[in-house]
Amino acid sequence: MSEQELELEEVITLVDEDGREQDFEVIDIIHLDGSKYAVLLPVPEVDAGAADDEEGEAIILRFETDEEGNEILVDIEDDEEWEKVADYWEEMIENEDS
C-alpha cells in the first residue's frame, strides 16, 4: 500500500486483533524523522443507536515494508514515538487553522 495508493480522504478497512473490521478515513499522511505515518479517523457506523455528531478518536499508524516489499500499516508501540508524531500532527493542524 504505497502513498500513491493510499490517498487522503480514502476509506480503508482494518482488522483488529479480534477479527473485527473497522473502516477508517485517511485524513493525513505525515513524514517525520525518516518515517511515514498515516492519520486515520474511524468512519462512524450507520447504526440507529449511534449519535450523528459522535466522532471517533484519530489513530496514527506507521508505514513499514513487509517481506514481499509491500507497504503495510503497523501500530506504534513506542509511547515516545507516538507522542512525537501526535504532537507534530497537532502543530500542523494548528498552523493550518491560523
Side-chain angles (χ1 to χ4, degrees), residues 13-33:
T13 302
L14 300 177
V15 179
D16 67 15
E17 52 275 337
D18 296 326
R20 292 183 302 234
E21 292 184 352
Q22 169 80 41
D23 290 334
F24 290 87
E25 181 180 357
V26 180
I27 58 174
D28 216 338
I29 295 179
I30 298 171
H31 296 265
L32 181 64
D33 295 340

Side-chain angles (χ1 to χ4, degrees), residues 20-97:
R20 292 183 302 234
E21 292 184 352
Q22 169 80 41
D23 290 334
F24 290 87
E25 181 180 357
V26 180
I27 58 174
D28 216 338
I29 295 179
I30 298 171
H31 296 265
L32 181 64
D33 295 340
S35 294
K36 185 168 58 169
Y37 303 88
V39 182
L40 308 173
L41 193 63
V43 174
E45 295 181 26
V46 180
D47 183 327
D52 289 336
D53 60 350
E54 187 177 308
E55 189 172 290
E57 186 173 315
I59 64 167
I60 302 171
L61 299 175
R62 183 179 59 241
F63 283 91
E64 287 190 2
T65 305
D66 67 11
E67 303 82 32
E68 291 137 21
N70 300 314
E71 279 191 321
I72 58 172
L73 293 170
V74 298
D75 286 327
I76 301 171
E77 296 184 10
D78 180 272
D79 290 339
E80 189 175 313
E81 178 185 8
W82 191 92
E83 285 293 329
K84 181 173 62 174
V85 176
D87 290 345
Y88 180 80
W89 182 61
E90 286 178 14
E91 284 179 29
M92 285 177 47
I93 298 301
E94 288 172 9
N95 291 337
E96 287 177 6
D97 292 340

